């Protein structure tokens, strides 16, 4: 129906409503069939004309009644009241008398007929025409403004596959109430029971202010059911109009970490990055590439991407160039091996960077157990090469990425990273460059993370393999880890080991269960198999040794470790002699040295 056709239809309907209201009120008030009198005709004409004039003025004929609400009801009240007042004025002028009872009944009938004509179509359409029995019953967690907005869009969008049948909210005052005709059925601790009772297939979490720990708690309740759990998009995306409130996303593992992301001190970071030359080793890796992404908004003059794998370096270079076409940053790539001392010196001399982020390392625990010599060459010798070159050519700040596995290491990888930390701390004592290390736990989504492995196993139908039911790890996201590394550079005085307060450690088996549930499967269908601990693994990873811990945070959620004893003579001796050692001998030497279990030198016997 065109606008003109629609307008003509409403004018005709409203004219019938006005005339019916006026003459029927005469019948009700005076109990007579003699309703057509001169005063009544004049009153009807006055109300009819004023009704149409006010309807045009207040845009009553332009309203989309399928979305009618309180606003449209107020306009109807204004139109009817205004037209009845005009009718009263004409009665006074023509008949010199106002028929108050007649006008009061006319007002009531006018409101009833006009409002009913508008809203009855919506009720009929919602109840019968657009009712879709194929829609999935959905609970909305959160009966606040966001949840109400979600419910309204789902109720109005009849192409949506979800239909809200209840709100879940922990506010007892809302229980047993209806919002937009949808009942508030209970609290989050009743989700399992309520889902079974109402045969709900979907759950939408619609609380934008929810903290990650609270979200994790709610998700664990949802995970007890067979309903698919989704979450409202980010509030800033809704406000900017990027996505609709009905475009829910799946809950991600990152949402369940139970820890709020670290916020950056933009001012201090800008001071040491903006306009400077920055070099990132291991720039093609998961951490190194994210560091590059996080650095770009601070507008360094040059960003040098150094890596050993050409494909990964090419990928991050293309991504950065594509996403920063308008930027004046000069992106430079260098394919080089950290073990090549001469090449490290050539690169440092050519670009003379102000800041170096050293993310290049071998990180896979079982592989390094089988190849300890490669771990030493890359993680220890490679770090020494880069650090010495940085010191020689005047780099102002050198930030090395370390790991919680460097604390009381039981693996070759952890041991080599601890030795690399010692090298960094020793370099800080003899160099004008500020050398620091940043230590954090496992990174979700990195190439060495269990997450990609679990996802592949789930896609194949399971089972998901977990080494031990009691194994726990600290987890953080790649962006969080990268922000910490960047923040550490701004806080560096030299020689520190920075550590993020990573919240509570997560059981690997719980992580596996969450991933299975997030994939839309049940634990019974996929299964979890315990395979036993691998060489070099331990049940629990510390972030600092007891003697390293400072009680005070130097920045929200960031701690700094005390200096510990360094064994540079022993490290240099190991570097000199490792090629003559068997793998197992080298592995033992690395672990002894990293755990500070260095045999004391024999005392000399002196005779007098």
């Amino acid at each position: 129906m065109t606008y003109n056709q629609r307008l003509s239809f409403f004018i005709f309907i409203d004219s019938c409503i006005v005339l019916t209201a006026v003459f029927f009120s005469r019948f009700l008030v005076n109990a007579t069939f003699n309703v057509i009198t001169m005063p009544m005709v004049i009153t009807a004409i006055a109300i009819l004309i004023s009704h149409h004039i006010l309807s045009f003025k207040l845009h009553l004929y332009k309203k989309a009644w399928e979305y009618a609400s309180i606003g449209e009801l107020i306009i109807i009240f204004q139109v009817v009241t205004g037209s009845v007042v005009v009718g009263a004025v004409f009665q006074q002028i023509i008949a010199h008398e106002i028929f108050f009872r007649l006008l009061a009944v006319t007002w009531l009938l006018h409101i009833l007929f006009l409002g009913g004509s508008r809203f009855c179509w919506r009720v009929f359409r919602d109840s019968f025409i657009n009712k879709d029995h194929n829609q999935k019953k959905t609970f909305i967690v959160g009966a606040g403004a966001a949840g109400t907005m979600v419910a309204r869009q789902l109720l109005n969008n009849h192409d949506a596959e979800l239909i809200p049948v209840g709100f879940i909210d922990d506010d007892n005052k809302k229980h047993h109430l209806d919002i937009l005709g949808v009942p508030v059925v209970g609290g989050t601790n009743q989700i399992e029971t309520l889902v079974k009772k109402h045969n709900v297939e979907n759950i939408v979490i619609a609380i934008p202010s929810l903290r990650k720990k609270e979200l994790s708690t709610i998700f664990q309740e949802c995970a007890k059911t067979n309903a698919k759990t989704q979450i409202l998009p980010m509030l800033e995306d809704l406000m900017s109009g990027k996505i609709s409130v009905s475009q829910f996303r799946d809950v991600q593992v990152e949402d369940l970490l139970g820890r709020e992301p670290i916020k950056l001190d933009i001012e201090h970071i800008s001071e040491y990055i903006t306009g400077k030359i920055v070099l990132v080793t291991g720039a093609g890796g998961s951490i190194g590439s994210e560091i590059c992404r996080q650095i770009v908004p601070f507008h360094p003059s040059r960003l040098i991407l150094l890596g050993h794998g050409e494909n990964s370096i090419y990928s991050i270079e293309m991504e950065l160039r594509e996403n920063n076409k308008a930027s004046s940053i000069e992106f430079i790539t260098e394919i080089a091996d950290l073990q090549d001392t001469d090449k490290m010196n050539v690169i440092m001399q050519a670009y003379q960077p102000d800041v170096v982020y050293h993310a290049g390392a071998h990180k896979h625990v079982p592989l390094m157990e089988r190849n300890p010599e490669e771990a030493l060459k890359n993680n220890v010798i490679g770090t020494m090469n880069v650090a010495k070159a940085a010191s020689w050519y005047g780099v102002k700040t050198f930030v090395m990425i370390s790991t919680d596995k460097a604390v009381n290491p039981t693996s070759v990888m952890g041991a080599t990273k601890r030795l690399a930390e010692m090298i960094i701390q020793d370099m800080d004592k003899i160099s004008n460059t500020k050398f620091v290390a940043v230590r954090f736990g496992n990174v979700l989504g990195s190439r060495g993370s269990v997450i990609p492995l679990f996802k592949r196993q789930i896609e194949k139908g399971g089972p998901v393999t977990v080494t031990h039911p009691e194994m726990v790890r600290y987890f953080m996201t790649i962006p969080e880890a990268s922000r910490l590394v960047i923040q550490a550079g701004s806080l560096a005085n030299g020689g520190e080991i920075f550590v993020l307060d990573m919240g509570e450690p997560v059981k690997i088996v719980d992580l596996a269960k969450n991933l299975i549930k997030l994939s839309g499967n049940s634990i019974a269908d996929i299964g979890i198999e315990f395979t036993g601990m691998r060489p070099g693994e331990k049940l629990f990873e510390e972030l600092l040794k007891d003697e390293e811990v400072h009680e005070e945070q130097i920045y929200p959620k960031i701690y700094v470790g005390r200096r510990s004893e360094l064994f540079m003579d022993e490290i240099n001796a190991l570097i000199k002699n490792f090629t003559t050692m068997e793998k197992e001998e080298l592995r033992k030497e690395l672990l002894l040295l990293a755990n500070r279990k260095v045999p004391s030198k024999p005392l000399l016997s002196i005779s007098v």
Side-chain angles (χ1 to χ4, degrees):
M1 185 183 293
T2 65
Y3 173 73
N4 289 332
Q5 291 172 330
R6 187 175 181 274
L7 180 61
S8 300
F9 174 75
F10 276 121
I11 289 174
F12 173 74
I13 291 294
D14 284 9
S15 298
C16 294
I17 287 172
V18 170
L19 295 175
T20 301
V22 172
F23 291 114
F24 191 54
S25 64
R26 162 81 173 175
F27 167 76
L28 293 176
V29 171
N30 297 331
T32 178
F33 287 104
N34 185 23
V35 295
I36 302 177
T37 62
M38 184 56 66
M40 291 305 300
V41 171
I42 292 171
T43 301
I45 293 173
I47 292 176
L48 181 62
I49 293 173
S50 59
H51 171 91
H52 290 312
I53 292 173
L54 288 171
S55 295
F56 277 106
K57 186 175 179 63
L58 297 176
H59 308 292
L60 185 65
Y61 293 141
K62 291 186 176 181
K63 300 300 178 183
W65 292 102
E66 58 266 33
Y67 303 110
S69 60
I70 297 298
E72 284 71 26
L73 197 59
I74 291 173
I75 292 173
I76 289 175
F77 175 82
Q78 292 171 333
V79 169
V80 172
T81 303
S83 59
V84 169
V85 168
V86 171
V89 171
F90 271 84
Q91 283 183 351
Q92 180 65 37
I93 293 172
I94 303 300
H96 304 290
E97 182 182 1
I98 299 176
F99 307 107
F100 287 103
R101 283 189 300 169
L102 181 112
L103 290 175
V105 175
T106 300
W107 182 86
L108 287 171
L109 293 176
H110 196 169
I111 286 273
L112 178 63
F113 293 158
L114 188 62
S117 69
R118 297 300 195 266
F119 285 91
C120 68
W121 169 250
R122 175 178 174 178
V123 172
F124 177 75
R125 181 207 62 189
D126 290 349
S127 300
F128 300 101
I129 297 178
N130 288 324
K131 193 168 184 179
D132 188 353
H133 296 282
N134 293 322
Q135 289 179 302
K136 296 178 181 178
K137 292 182 178 180
T138 302
F139 274 160
I140 298 173
V141 180
T148 304
M149 186 165 52
V150 169
R152 179 177 286 112
Q153 283 218 8
L154 291 178
L155 290 168
N156 290 335
N157 182 8
H158 297 284
D159 292 329
E161 62 177 16
L162 309 181
I163 183 70
V165 296
F167 284 100
I168 301 288
D169 200 288
D170 287 332
D171 186 352
N172 292 329
K173 296 177 182 178
K174 295 180 180 179
H175 291 179
H176 309 297
L177 299 179
D178 282 6
I179 299 173
L180 300 176
V182 179
V184 182
V185 294
T188 55
N189 61 338
Q190 300 171 281
I191 287 176
E192 184 179 10
T193 303
L194 292 168
V195 165
K196 292 178 181 177
K197 179 179 177 181
H198 295 273
N199 295 318
V200 167
E201 299 174 77
N202 268 69
I203 300 174
V204 175
I205 301 174
I207 312 176
S209 60
L210 205 59
R211 293 182 175 273
K212 287 191 174 184
K213 193 167 186 178
E214 296 165 340
L215 173 60
S216 180
T217 301
I218 292 175
F219 177 79
Q220 297 309 323
E221 291 299 318
C222 297
K224 296 175 183 177
T225 74
N226 292 322
K228 181 179 181 180
T229 304
Q230 294 178 293
I231 192 170
L232 197 66
M234 295 296 290
L235 195 58
E236 52 265 33
D237 290 335
L238 295 174
M239 298 299 293
S240 63
K242 290 181 181 178
I243 50 180
S244 164
V245 73
S246 59
Q247 290 177 286
F248 313 115
R249 67 175 178 86
D250 291 338
V251 181
Q252 304 294 328
V253 179
E254 291 85 343
D255 296 321
L256 308 177
L257 282 177
R259 184 189 67 257
E260 299 305 307
I262 185 172
K263 295 181 180 178
L264 295 178
D265 184 346
I266 304 299
E267 183 178 346
H268 282 86
I269 293 174
S270 297
E271 287 178 5
Y272 90 107
I273 290 183
T274 302
K276 302 296 196 299
I277 300 171
V278 179
L279 184 148
V280 180
T281 72
S286 50
I287 297 295
S289 61
E290 184 62 28
I291 290 174
C292 295
R293 296 184 192 99
Q294 300 278 352
I295 287 172
V296 166
F298 294 100
H299 305 290
S301 61
R302 279 181 170 184
L303 181 56
I304 299 127
L305 315 174
L306 188 152
H308 193 236
E310 59 177 6
N311 291 329
S312 57
I313 291 295
Y314 174 78
S315 296
I316 185 62
E317 179 196 15
M318 290 299 101
E319 178 189 328
L320 294 175
R321 291 188 187 279
E322 180 67 25
N323 295 338
N324 301 278
K325 291 180 179 178
S327 174
S328 60
I329 301 172
E330 184 180 359
F331 297 105
I332 301 171
T333 58
E334 286 286 349
I335 303 299
D337 189 337
L338 299 178
Q339 300 170 43
D340 189 336
T341 306
D342 294 337
K343 186 62 181 286
M344 292 303 105
N345 284 317
V346 167
I347 290 173
M348 292 294 178
Q349 183 181 27
Y351 301 112
Q352 298 194 349
D354 299 286
V355 182
V356 171
Y357 295 100
H358 177 44
H362 286 330
K363 307 180 184 72
H364 198 280
V365 172
L367 282 179
M368 293 307 102
E369 289 300 303
R370 297 192 290 270
N371 300 277
E373 69 286 354
E374 294 302 321
L376 185 141
K377 286 194 289 185
N378 205 62
N379 296 355
V380 180
I381 297 175
T383 297
M384 183 177 285
N385 290 342
V386 181
K388 286 183 175 179
S391 175
W392 185 261
Y393 290 102
V395 171
K396 295 181 178 63
T397 305
F398 185 104
V399 183
M400 177 197 128
I401 286 80
S402 189
T403 170
D404 57 357
K405 293 176 176 60
V407 184
N408 297 320
T410 58
S411 67
V412 166
M413 193 281 279
T416 55
K417 294 297 280 187
R418 178 62 194 127
L419 298 186
E421 289 179 354
M422 292 183 186
I423 291 169
I424 291 303
Q425 290 185 308
D426 180 71
M427 286 295 301
D428 184 74
K429 295 191 297 184
I430 61 176
S431 172
N432 292 326
T433 300
K434 292 188 290 187
F435 285 91
V436 298
V438 183
R439 193 185 283 170
F440 47 77
N442 293 266
V443 180
L444 292 173
S446 67
R447 291 173 185 172
S449 169
V450 295
I451 305 299
L453 171 63
F454 286 171
K455 286 182 176 178
R456 288 194 300 271
Q457 290 174 336
I458 292 169
E459 287 172 1
K460 293 179 179 178
V464 171
T465 56
V466 178
T467 54
H468 194 284
E470 297 301 320
M471 183 168 285
V472 295
R473 291 289 183 269
Y474 289 104
F475 280 99
M476 64 193 310
T477 65
I478 294 175
E480 283 180 300
S482 303
R483 291 185 193 118
L484 173 62
V485 172
I486 294 171
Q487 186 69 67
S490 71
L491 300 171
N493 291 316
E496 302 97 337
I497 296 178
F498 293 103
V499 180
L500 175 64
D501 178 3
M502 299 184 65
E504 297 298 321
V506 178
K507 270 192 173 185
I508 300 298
V509 67
D510 290 341
L511 189 65
K513 290 176 181 177
N514 284 338
L515 269 175
I516 292 171
K517 182 62 185 175
L518 290 172
S519 67
N521 297 285
S522 69
I523 296 172
D525 292 337
I526 299 297
I528 295 176
E529 180 181 308
F530 296 104
T531 58
M533 292 174 61
R534 298 175 297 182
E537 284 188 328
K538 52 184 177 179
L539 288 178
F540 183 82
E541 302 283 6
E542 308 97 321
L543 288 167
L544 283 172
K545 292 192 71 173
D546 292 340
E547 64 268 24
E548 291 179 323
V549 176
H550 273 294
E551 293 298 328
E552 295 184 4
Q553 296 180 346
I554 62 163
Y555 187 83
K557 296 182 183 288
I558 299 180
Y559 292 91
V560 58
R562 291 190 178 98
R563 289 178 181 268
S564 55
E565 188 178 0
L566 310 178
F567 300 108
M568 289 310 301
D569 290 341
E570 290 80 359
I571 291 173
N572 288 325
L574 185 60
I575 290 173
K576 183 178 180 180
N577 299 318
F578 80 95
T579 55
T580 63
M581 298 180 181
E582 297 293 330
K583 289 180 184 289
E584 186 58 30
E585 181 188 3
L586 176 56
R587 180 181 178 278
K588 289 179 180 178
E589 287 293 328
L590 285 169
L591 290 171
L592 284 172
L593 189 52
N595 285 291
R596 302 178 179 84
K597 296 177 181 178
V598 181
S600 58
K601 295 179 181 178
L603 297 174
L604 295 176
S605 176
I606 302 175
S607 59
V608 292

